[in-house]
Amino acid sequence: MAENLNSLFRGTDTVLPDGDLEGRLAEGRPLRVKLGMDPTAPAVTLGWAVVLRKLRQFQEAGHTAVLIVGDFTAQVGDPSGKSETRRRLSADEVRGHAESVLAGFRKVLLPDRLEIRYNSEWLAGMDMADVLDMTAQVTVAQMLERSDFANRFGAHQPISVMEFMYPLLQGMDSVAVEADVELGGADQLWNLMMGRVLQERHGQRPQIAMTMPLLIGTDGELKMSQSLGNYIGIDDAADDMFGKLMSIPDKLMVQYFELATGVPLEEVAEIREGLASGELHPGYVKRRLAREIVDLYHGAGAGATSEAAFDQVFKRHEAPDDVPEYTLTDEDPVFMPVLLKDAGLVGSSSDGRRMIGQGAVKLDGEVIPDMEVPRAALSGSVLQVGKRRFVRLI
């Protein structure tokens, strides 16, 4: 029991009310542990996986995971941590994202003791009487106790009534599934506590709110987010995942060990102390971190394989073994920005110009200084953009 409890508390930020989780676990019945995920983007990131892995820990302890796919609430938009109103997503956009992320959710969670529910089941059918009954249970003053709303109100920035609705709709999810525990990121605490309010007013026992810290993205500053581009996806190719992890700032390594791996906390504490004292080299620690996470999502040994591929490119400056090929056209000389775009190495020819100007485009390891290159100089060579993008020209 103590071991399970320690595992469940690992990496948590807040568990409220204090002591309630221990009491409910002592009842000896499977708890209903809820996690709501709005499919507002197509990938499952390591940041999302923090709470998904916590949900799996509850499954492993014998409890029921209730995963709420917020296909209805995603169209409203969670205002948590936002300084302005979000753009509304269409139903088609949300459906497309939901199809993409469900496979990722299943990759983390156990198939047993798992319920997957869509909150449109109970929210889409609400009529005006239902909405009025829901909104009558909370005051505007309570809403303005929430820091992001209070800050925007104080700064005379607009807050839509729809944004006020979001925490209520999320709270109704807890009512619908009769949650014992709700999980979320640290920015979700207010929403989770609103679920307690609505459950109590519907005659249910209020849920326990458990939040986890927000995983910082690869930029080292902001929380991991697809919209910011500072994310690592759990479905990233193993070599790409390894490379991205090797690029994170050193200051993030301990947080990633604690939140994104299963390395025992005693070892994480030793790593923290070793880095602080200088006994452990950051490069060695980061390699272990990258191997641990790649193994977690691609299978045992995948991390070591990706490490070898990484060294081939970055230590020995060799092209990887599986470089895709691109057939040159008859153009001569070749306008390189267009070639880079057509070969899939950049998103546009303007991006190609920029990368050439920055010295980030190489031919067989040598920087290309010009926008035009003779065709004969390209054929049979390896074209590289940045650190991880290659094609062999034929």
Side-chain angles (χ1 to χ4, degrees), residues 43-98:
V44 178
T45 69
L46 291 184
W48 271 15
V50 171
V51 285
L52 284 165
R53 282 165 47 78
K54 181 61 63 181
L55 188 58
R56 178 181 173 127
Q57 286 181 319
F58 274 98
Q59 287 181 293
E60 291 170 341
H63 304 290
T64 302
V66 185
L67 181 66
I68 307 293
V69 179
D71 60 329
F72 189 90
T73 45
Q75 297 177 64
V76 177
D78 184 2
S80 298
K82 297 297 176 182
S83 58
E84 58 186 24
T85 302
R86 283 177 179 256
R87 178 184 75 85
R88 287 196 69 188
L89 297 178
S90 70
D92 287 342
E93 285 178 296
V94 171
R95 271 194 297 272
H97 293 332

Side-chain angles (χ1 to χ4, degrees), residues 301-367:
T305 301
S306 292
E307 183 176 22
F310 179 88
D311 286 343
Q312 180 177 346
V313 175
F314 296 104
K315 290 183 71 174
R316 299 195 297 274
H317 303 290
E318 301 171 3
D321 294 329
D322 57 348
V323 176
E325 294 182 343
Y326 177 79
T327 302
L328 293 165
T329 66
D330 293 333
E331 177 191 8
D332 192 12
V334 178
F335 186 57
M336 295 304 296
V338 172
L339 171 60
L340 293 171
K341 176 181 70 71
D342 292 346
L345 296 174
V346 296
S348 66
S349 57
S350 60
D351 285 341
R353 285 179 179 273
R354 178 172 54 82
M355 297 301 281
I356 292 171
Q358 293 173 354
V361 180
K362 296 180 181 179
L363 190 67
D364 287 339
E366 298 294 328
V367 173

Side-chain angles (χ1 to χ4, degrees), residues 38-343:
D38 284 354
T40 54
V44 178
T45 69
L46 291 184
W48 271 15
V50 171
V51 285
L52 284 165
R53 282 165 47 78
K54 181 61 63 181
L55 188 58
R56 178 181 173 127
Q57 286 181 319
F58 274 98
Q59 287 181 293
E60 291 170 341
H63 304 290
T64 302
V66 185
L67 181 66
I68 307 293
V69 179
D71 60 329
F72 189 90
T73 45
Q75 297 177 64
V76 177
D78 184 2
S80 298
K82 297 297 176 182
S83 58
E84 58 186 24
T85 302
R86 283 177 179 256
R87 178 184 75 85
R88 287 196 69 188
L89 297 178
S90 70
D92 287 342
E93 285 178 296
V94 171
R95 271 194 297 272
H97 293 332
E99 291 173 4
S100 297
V101 300
L102 266 178
F105 294 162
R106 293 182 186 278
K107 192 171 184 177
V108 177
L109 299 173
L110 295 172
D112 300 326
R113 297 184 294 278
L114 173 63
E115 293 181 18
I116 297 178
R117 305 285 296 275
Y118 292 77
N119 62 12
S120 59
E121 292 178 33
W122 48 86
L123 296 180
M126 294 178 70
D127 60 20
M128 183 55 70
D130 296 325
V131 172
L132 292 175
D133 179 66
M134 178 180 67
T135 55
Q137 298 178 57
V138 181
T139 68
V140 172
Q142 284 176 296
M143 288 293 186
L144 290 177
E145 290 174 1
R146 179 173 164 157
S147 59
D148 43 15
F149 285 155
N151 292 339
R152 287 164 63 183
F153 184 75
H156 303 288
Q157 294 175 329
I159 306 170
S160 72
V161 174
M162 183 179 70
E163 290 179 280
F164 274 172
M165 294 285 289
Y166 186 93
L168 300 178
L169 296 173
Q170 182 173 330
M172 290 304 296
D173 291 349
S174 296
V175 173
V177 301
E178 299 184 39
D180 287 296
V181 180
E182 182 172 9
L183 308 179
D187 59 348
Q188 289 289 309
L189 180 59
W190 200 92
N191 288 353
L192 271 55
M193 299 303 285
M194 181 57 65
R196 287 176 53 83
V197 171
L198 294 182
Q199 282 182 306
E200 192 165 28
R201 294 182 181 175
H202 281 79
Q204 294 182 13
R205 189 178 181 186
Q207 66 188 11
I208 294 154
M210 176 181 277
T211 66
M212 271 61 68
L214 302 176
L215 192 70
I216 301 301
T218 54
D219 59 352
E221 299 299 331
L222 302 173
K223 79 171 185 177
M224 188 173 286
S225 166
Q226 290 175 70
S227 62
L228 297 174
N230 64 349
Y231 73 97
I232 300 170
I234 68 170
D235 285 324
D236 284 352
D239 291 356
D240 287 344
M241 182 182 286
F242 191 95
K244 289 178 183 178
L245 287 161
M246 288 298 293
S247 73
I248 67 171
D250 292 352
K251 65 182 181 180
L252 298 184
M253 290 192 292
V254 172
Q255 188 200 39
Y256 275 52
F257 267 110
E258 183 174 359
L259 299 180
T261 79
V263 173
L265 288 179
E266 295 79 6
E267 287 189 50
V268 176
E270 292 172 2
I271 290 169
R272 180 188 290 107
E273 293 168 6
L275 287 169
S277 68
E279 292 181 11
L280 288 177
H281 190 283
Y284 166 82
V285 173
K286 196 175 292 183
R287 283 171 175 271
R288 180 183 175 188
L289 173 67
R291 290 195 304 269
E292 292 279 353
I293 294 178
V294 171
D295 280 356
L296 191 61
Y297 295 105
H298 291 279
T305 301
S306 292
E307 183 176 22
F310 179 88
D311 286 343
Q312 180 177 346
V313 175
F314 296 104
K315 290 183 71 174
R316 299 195 297 274
H317 303 290
E318 301 171 3
D321 294 329
D322 57 348
V323 176
E325 294 182 343
Y326 177 79
T327 302
L328 293 165
T329 66
D330 293 333
E331 177 191 8
D332 192 12
V334 178
F335 186 57
M336 295 304 296
V338 172
L339 171 60
L340 293 171
K341 176 181 70 71
D342 292 346

Side-chain angles (χ1 to χ4, degrees), residues 24-45:
R24 212 165 293 199
L25 289 170
E27 295 172 8
R29 63 179 178 86
L31 302 183
R32 294 180 59 75
V33 186
K34 170 201 169 191
L35 172 62
M37 305 288 265
D38 284 354
T40 54
V44 178
T45 69

